[in-house]
Amino acid sequence: QYQEEIQELNEVARHRPRSTLVMGIQQENRQIRELQQENKELRTSLEEHQSALELIMSKYREQMFRLLMASKKDDPSIIMKLKDQHSKV
């Protein structure tokens, strides 16, 4: 079956001028390069967004820790637990 399909593809290719095949390949190569560039830009954008989100979450955790510390001044065991959790994060 594989050989039959290869033979069929070769027959189709022979019926088209070589220049048409070359132009088709060049167009595909151009599209591939454009997609690769787009993927690179998307990866960079994703990394930037992840960094920003990590910074935002870090600041959020810090603020929540301060808020909880301020509201739980009376209970040192809770403060120690919060400090441990914050240091692990």
Side-chain angles (χ1 to χ4, degrees):
Q1 185 179 6
Y2 173 76
Q3 290 297 332
E4 289 173 7
E5 288 188 24
I6 292 292
Q7 185 178 1
E8 196 174 306
L9 287 172
N10 285 334
E11 287 176 15
V12 170
R14 286 187 196 119
H15 293 294
R16 292 172 42 193
R18 183 175 293 239
S19 61
T20 305
L21 293 173
V22 170
M23 284 179 37
I25 291 171
Q26 288 174 341
Q27 185 179 8
E28 287 178 12
N29 285 341
R30 223 175 297 122
Q31 289 172 343
I32 289 170
R33 281 193 298 273
E34 289 172 2
L35 289 172
Q36 288 172 335
Q37 180 62 31
E38 184 179 355
N39 283 344
K40 185 177 179 182
E41 292 170 4
L42 288 171
R43 265 191 214 99
T44 302
S45 179
L46 177 61
E47 289 170 2
E48 290 173 358
H49 282 84
Q50 285 176 331
S51 295
L53 187 56
E54 287 173 10
L55 177 64
I56 290 168
M57 289 307 296
S58 173
K59 294 293 183 182
Y60 171 77
R61 287 184 201 105
E62 186 179 319
Q63 290 297 324
M64 289 305 295
F65 179 73
R66 288 181 183 169
L67 179 64
L68 289 171
M69 294 254 314
S71 67
K72 302 291 182 183
K73 286 183 180 178
D74 300 332
D75 192 350
S77 65
I78 292 176
I79 293 173
M80 290 305 294
K81 287 179 186 176
L82 291 173
K83 283 182 181 179
D84 289 341
Q85 289 174 354
H86 183 67
S87 64
K88 288 179 185 176
V89 172

